[in-house]
Amino acid sequence: MPVKNRFAELHSEITEWRRDIHAHPELLFDTHRTSALVAEKLKEFGCDEVVTGIGRTGVVGVIKGKSDKSGKVIGLRADMDALPIEEATGVDYASETPGMMHACGHDGHTAMLLGAAKYLAETRNFDGTAVVIFQPAEEGGGGGKEMCDDGMMKQFNIHEVYGMHNWPGQPVGAFAIRSGPFFAATDVFEINFEGLGGHAAKPHETVDTTVMAAQAVLALQTIASRNADPIDRIVVSVTSFETSSKAFNVIPQGVQIKGTVRTMSPEMRDLAEKRIAEICSGIATTFGGSVDVNYDRNYPVMDNHPEQTDFAIEVAKSVSGVCEEAPLVMGGEDFAFMLEERPGAYILVGNGDTAHVHHPKYNFNDEAIPAGCSWYAEIVEKRLPV
């Protein structure tokens, strides 16, 4: 694989950083140790500016090239947070924090971008400025949005922004990407049915919320099967069903169901929100109860920009020789917020034959480090040639 020789030399050092981060996972915005480590490394590398506290615990490093005739600024982003999962990898650098682990490879993303930052600060073989972005709270917290809301793009005059995620099942160091909609919008809903509780032996004296909620769980599936155009992608999943009583002989006064909606277009997003409210209201009325529906729009569709995607493909091919078209992903990614503010692209790098992300036996493959670091660095050097 034609990766940069410098990253082959730095491989063991970057691996040590990655494994240290892996052993000390932190959730959402509580990435205090990781953020401090990142800031310390960036200062050690000789970055021209290191700014902390963007998006609460985000860190940004500024690296100026040999010249700045272009006046252009390229942003490179990695996420830092872990997941509330009990690790089951058995590795000697496993999580030291019970109930938390790096089950999505953000430890690897952070380490690879640190490696690229070290190289770029050493060589500065580009015309313009590289901005390395280390983001907290990708796993549901919207850290990308908070960094944007803090004015990051304007503060650092970022013109384009690029990100990367490891991908189990794809050959180690091989890349895949797609232009346009790539990762889904991720919304959540909470539905509270209210009826009249009572004795299970006297159902005629109650308004049974378990029947209402059970009907809703099934009826919500018709949004995808009977309301949405079959060529459009939509997932409606009920993931929690909780009654107000745990007794065997009580019909509960209330039932709460929760779930998620994944869509690839604004039209499908609007349809899902509208139909969830209509279906649940109709069911509650039919059975003589009431319902309160809360629908929250979280991450938007992550939409790769065509020109920047083509460039990302060119760089990926220069590193690994191949870049395949990636499938649509119904998972979410808050890099979407950055792509709403600036043109850019998000790519996948192969993690090999490993457990899937968000699994207790998942582990980032350190053999992917040279390819990932090379892609980050080449994005800057090829986009900002001297």
Side-chain angles (χ1 to χ4, degrees), residues 94-217:
S95 171
E96 297 177 10
T97 308
M100 297 184 197
M101 72 168 289
H102 272 287
C104 203
H106 296 185
D107 51 342
H109 305 163
T110 297
M112 289 190 295
L113 187 53
L114 280 174
K118 182 178 176 72
Y119 167 85
L120 291 169
E122 287 176 350
T123 59
R124 300 182 185 263
N125 190 32
F126 54 94
D127 176 65
T129 303
V131 172
V132 288
I133 303 163
F134 295 86
Q135 179 210 303
E138 190 282 324
E139 296 291 357
K145 183 178 188 302
E146 293 221 12
M147 292 189 85
C148 289
D149 288 348
D150 273 358
M152 176 182 70
M153 296 298 182
K154 185 176 181 180
Q155 179 178 347
F156 298 99
N157 195 32
I158 295 170
H159 294 90
E160 295 180 356
V161 63
Y162 296 85
M164 184 193 309
H165 202 293
N166 77 94
W167 208 248
Q170 191 167 301
V172 178
F175 293 93
I177 196 172
R178 70 182 297 119
S179 185
F182 191 177
F183 279 58
T186 61
D187 300 337
V188 295
F189 58 83
E190 180 181 290
I191 302 166
N192 294 285
F193 287 97
E194 188 76 11
L196 180 63
H199 201 292
K202 298 179 179 182
H204 60 290
E205 296 179 356
T206 72
V207 176
D208 194 337
T209 50
T210 58
V211 173
M212 279 190 266
Q215 291 282 341
V217 171

Side-chain angles (χ1 to χ4, degrees), residues 190-195 209 212-213 216 255-257 276-286 288-294:
E190 180 181 290
I191 302 166
N192 294 285
F193 287 97
E194 188 76 11
T209 50
M212 279 190 266
V255 172
Q256 181 186 81
I257 60 176
I276 286 173
E278 292 172 345
I279 288 169
C280 293
S281 177
I283 288 172
T285 299
T286 298
S290 62
V291 66
D292 180 45
V293 178
N294 297 302

Side-chain angles (χ1 to χ4, degrees), residues 321-365:
V322 64
C323 184
E324 297 180 350
E325 182 174 23
L328 288 167
V329 178
M330 298 310 286
E333 170 54 66
D334 81 343
F335 189 65
F337 293 110
M338 297 190 187
L339 290 179
E340 286 187 334
E341 293 218 354
R342 294 293 186 274
Y346 190 78
I347 201 166
L348 307 178
V349 62
N351 203 58
D353 186 18
T354 66
H356 289 288
V357 294
H358 292 221
H359 190 281
K361 289 188 177 181
Y362 165 85
N363 190 21
F364 178 82
N365 192 333

